[in-house]
Amino acid sequence: MIKKDYYEILGISRDASTDEIKKAYRKLALKYHPDKNKEKQAEEKFKEAAEAYDILSNPEKKKRYDKFGHSSSQGYSGGMNMEDIFTNFGDIFGDAFSFSGFSNYKKKNIKGSDLRIKVKLTLNEILKGIEKKMKVQRMKMAKGVELIFCKNCNGTGQITRVTNTILGIMHTTTTCSICGGLGKKSERLPKGVNNKGLKKKEELVSITIPPGVTEGIQLKISGKGNDAPFGNGIPGDLIVVIEEIPHEKLKREGKNLHYDLYISFPDAVLGAYEEVPTGDGKARIKIDAGTQSGKTLRLKGKGLPFLEGYGRGDLLIHIIVWTPKKLNEEQKKMFKQIKNEENFIPSPQKSEKSFFEKVREMFSS
């Protein structure tokens, strides 16, 4: 499904000010608020406007969106749920829903707890992106749970106490300890169901992982966490934590890959062709005659993709000339004959970079 342009959703120009963005969002949010607008598409338009505002009201997110479009948010939660919207942007509504819709909506939309799982990925999976199906143990609303009206709070979920003080009458409101703020409590719970009416069930969840993720990054899948108590609200979210499986030969540094290539002394002198591994296969490279140990070759675009979806890093090949530790008599004699010849005496050129210059260049690239 093709997503609409965020500027088009809010009905503003691309150079709109922060105040204009906020004003446009508030107008749409009030128009399509689910407690005010009962049309079938109202809630989706409400979420759509909130998602647009979330991106365009944040300077960093807006900058990425202006440059990369919708691919700038690839790999993230992909849309917002109602709880997120009211939690993050509730102040924008002002007093429009202070005593009815907004407060009631918040009350009835208790959110279930989040779940957290780890997903291990190979370098190849990180390079290409992948859809994984994972078995997740979720707490789901159980069948056969009977609920009754909580008499302790009269179904409000709150207890209000009135106290006479020297300053006058004070009202203190707390969550009902009997029903936990739900306004209802369980009368009968089936076997294996906890006191919130939930039972653990295994579910197969599809997780789309975009290319270029890094170790420790967290992806959120809305609504795939635990159900709210007694199903009276919205489910929590599934938090997916990425773990990288180290590659046997390649080392990762951000978007770049590193590979140590050992070559023989004759190959360094005469030149050769070598095959090196890449993230998604192999590449054949040329070793020039006279190559020095410590030289770094760069294969452009053979690294990992940027999570934003634009460009790829490089593969850096570090040449190491292998020096044999043992020689037979004939080999020793050959090297003794040539070791004092002029072209075997080290004579670095000024144009050749020092080790420290190479390291500094590598980390600044």
Side-chain angles (χ1 to χ4, degrees):
M1 181 179 177
I2 300 175
K3 298 182 73 172
K4 288 175 64 177
D5 179 74
Y6 288 143
Y7 291 99
E8 182 183 341
I9 291 171
L10 296 183
I12 56 176
S13 63
R14 302 189 81 83
D15 57 355
S17 66
T18 302
D19 287 340
E20 288 173 328
I21 294 171
K22 185 175 181 179
K23 185 177 179 181
Y25 167 59
R26 189 177 189 276
K27 181 180 178 181
L28 289 174
L30 293 176
K31 179 180 179 181
Y32 294 114
H33 191 286
D35 281 343
K36 187 176 180 181
N37 192 324
K38 301 301 181 181
E39 293 179 10
K40 188 176 180 180
Q41 300 298 322
E43 186 172 319
E44 284 306 312
K45 289 182 179 293
F46 183 78
K47 291 179 181 179
E48 192 177 59
E51 184 178 337
Y53 179 73
D54 178 51
I55 298 297
L56 300 184
S57 63
N58 183 303
E60 187 178 337
K61 291 181 181 178
K62 182 178 183 295
K63 185 178 180 181
R64 289 204 304 267
Y65 176 73
D66 289 342
K67 188 173 183 180
F68 303 116
H70 288 295
S71 62
S72 63
S73 58
Q74 189 178 18
Y76 298 96
S77 57
M80 307 181 73
N81 60 46
M82 301 298 282
E83 183 74 9
D84 291 334
I85 295 169
F86 285 124
T87 299
N88 297 332
F89 311 133
D91 59 318
I92 289 178
F93 299 106
D95 295 327
F97 299 94
S98 296
F99 302 103
S100 57
F102 179 43
S103 57
N104 290 336
Y105 194 87
K106 288 181 71 176
K107 177 184 170 183
K108 71 183 180 183
N109 276 278
I110 296 171
K111 188 175 182 181
S113 59
D114 292 341
L115 283 175
R116 186 180 298 268
I117 63 170
K118 293 182 179 180
V119 174
K120 293 185 177 183
L121 301 175
T122 65
L123 187 66
N124 186 261
E125 289 172 334
I126 292 172
L127 176 67
K128 297 179 178 179
I130 190 173
E131 181 175 330
K132 280 187 172 287
K133 294 188 181 298
M134 305 288 293
K135 291 182 179 179
V136 178
Q137 299 286 336
R138 299 178 60 196
M139 298 300 292
K140 300 280 290 180
M141 177 63 185
K143 295 180 179 179
V145 176
E146 295 181 6
L147 301 178
I148 60 173
F149 183 79
C150 180
K151 296 179 181 179
N152 188 55
C153 63
N154 292 320
T156 64
Q158 297 178 330
I159 300 294
T160 301
R161 291 182 174 84
V162 180
T163 308
N164 290 313
T165 70
I166 58 174
L167 299 175
I169 298 175
M170 295 188 66
H171 295 258
T172 305
T173 302
T174 58
T175 300
C176 177
S177 59
I178 302 299
C179 66
L182 297 174
K184 299 177 182 179
K185 62 179 184 177
S186 60
E187 184 177 40
R188 186 177 69 84
L189 292 175
K191 186 178 180 181
V193 178
N194 67 13
N195 60 0
K196 294 180 180 180
L198 305 177
K199 186 175 183 179
K200 185 175 289 187
K201 294 183 180 180
E202 185 175 85
E203 183 175 327
L204 194 63
V205 178
S206 180
I207 303 170
T208 300
I209 300 172
V213 293
T214 56
E215 171 85 22
I217 195 172
Q218 298 183 9
L219 309 178
K220 184 177 79 172
I221 303 178
S222 298
K224 289 298 182 180
N226 293 322
D227 279 355
F230 300 113
N232 188 25
I234 59 176
D237 301 322
L238 177 64
I239 309 300
V240 181
V241 183
I242 300 299
E243 284 190 357
E244 294 185 26
I245 300 173
H247 193 274
E248 185 180 354
K249 298 178 180 179
L250 298 170
K251 301 296 182 183
R252 179 178 183 177
E253 180 196 28
K255 303 305 172 189
N256 293 331
L257 297 174
H258 294 263
Y259 176 68
D260 290 338
L261 175 61
Y262 288 84
I263 63 173
S264 68
F265 182 70
D267 282 343
V269 173
L270 302 173
Y273 285 92
E274 294 285 345
E275 199 173 65
V276 297
T278 63
D280 53 357
K282 296 180 179 179
R284 186 173 171 81
I285 62 169
K286 181 183 179 182
I287 306 297
D288 292 329
T291 292
Q292 303 296 315
S293 188
K295 182 176 182 178
T296 298
L297 304 178
R298 183 186 295 265
L299 294 185
K300 289 280 187 182
K302 287 295 183 180
L304 294 168
F306 288 85
L307 187 59
E308 294 83 3
Y310 181 80
R312 283 177 61 168
D314 304 326
L315 172 60
L316 302 173
I317 303 165
H318 307 284
I319 304 297
I320 302 170
V321 178
W322 180 261
T323 303
K325 295 180 180 180
K326 294 183 179 180
L327 298 174
N328 59 35
E329 290 303 318
E330 185 177 350
Q331 291 167 337
K332 288 179 182 179
K333 182 178 178 181
M334 179 190 71
F335 278 106
K336 285 178 181 178
Q337 290 176 342
I338 64 176
K339 75 171 188 174
N340 292 321
E341 292 185 12
E342 186 177 350
N343 61 339
F344 277 88
I345 298 174
S347 179
Q349 303 297 314
K350 289 185 178 181
S351 60
E352 295 181 3
K353 296 175 182 176
S354 68
F355 171 77
F356 295 104
E357 287 175 322
K358 290 177 181 178
V359 171
R360 184 172 59 191
E361 184 182 78
M362 183 178 69
F363 282 101
S364 63
S365 60

